[in-house]
Amino acid sequence: VLLAIGLSKRGTIINNPNRTGILREIGGGLKYMWKNSILLKTSILAFIVVMMVTNYNVLIPLTARDALHLDESGGGLLMTWIGVGAVLGSIVTAVTHKKAAKKWFFEIVCFAAAAATVFIGFMGNYALTTASLILSGFTFAMFISMTNSQLQANSSQQYRGRGTTVTVSTPS
């Protein structure tokens, strides 16, 4: 990863002189998103998944202790399975990026991420919990990548990277 970053093209940083204030920029971004159905749908799905799914890892120690009767090292191993799933999900996303561009695929990944997370809470079996954790990490990694791709691909240059104060210009 460091080698790839080191070999990548470097741009020059140019301050954006057209800044109108943070509240106006947020308002402009929200209006732009509201008018673009792909951005709106992606943002709503992202909000739901992030609000409902992303904090499940805080329950893993309780699941390990109370449902699976594991000690700290067993709980740590459960957290490892999430990472294994995330790595696999990242690899699959990179390989299947053309299929990931299909609308229905994104929705399936969102649903699968939520379903896998819900199942974790109902497991009393180590193998089933492990499978759910791997699936959860897998689908969440895909979800994050696909969400970013959807938002970047469907935004005009003017609205890409609005959270930053600078624009990067790549030399030709």
Side-chain angles (χ1 to χ4, degrees):
V1 172
L2 293 175
L3 180 63
I5 292 171
L7 295 174
S8 64
K9 291 182 181 179
R10 292 178 181 87
T12 56
I13 297 176
I14 304 165
N15 284 327
N16 187 352
N18 299 325
R19 303 220 25 128
T20 60
I22 188 113
L23 293 178
R24 284 191 180 190
E25 289 197 21
I26 290 171
L30 290 173
K31 285 178 190 174
Y32 178 76
M33 183 183 69
W34 188 259
K35 292 177 183 178
N36 184 321
S37 63
I38 294 172
L39 294 179
L40 183 61
K41 182 178 179 181
T42 302
S43 297
I44 290 170
L45 283 172
F47 178 79
I48 291 168
V49 171
V50 167
M51 292 303 290
M52 301 296 202
V53 176
T54 57
N55 290 324
Y56 67 92
N57 58 342
V58 299
L59 298 175
I60 300 303
L62 296 174
T63 301
R65 185 189 70 202
D66 298 340
L68 300 174
H69 310 292
L70 299 172
D71 59 7
E72 292 81 13
S73 63
L77 185 58
L78 290 179
M79 295 296 285
T80 301
W81 294 123
I82 298 169
V84 168
V87 168
L88 293 173
S90 298
I91 292 168
V92 169
T93 301
V95 171
T96 63
H97 66 278
K98 290 189 191 262
K99 184 173 276 194
K102 298 183 189 290
K103 270 191 320 190
W104 57 268
F105 194 72
F106 179 67
E107 293 167 5
I108 288 172
V109 168
C110 289
F111 176 76
T117 304
V118 168
F119 289 135
I120 293 166
F122 294 106
M123 300 294 167
N125 177 293
Y126 184 80
L128 292 174
T129 301
T130 298
S132 291
L133 289 169
I134 291 171
L135 182 62
S136 183
F138 181 91
T139 54
F140 197 71
M142 289 184 81
F143 161 76
I144 292 295
S145 178
M146 292 169 69
T147 298
N148 185 47
S149 295
Q150 288 272 21
L151 294 175
Q152 294 299 322
N154 292 290
S155 296
S156 70
Q157 185 64 34
Q158 172 187 0
Y159 288 97
R160 253 183 234 126
R162 294 265 322 223
T164 61
T165 59
V166 294
T167 305
V168 176
S169 170
T170 307
S172 35

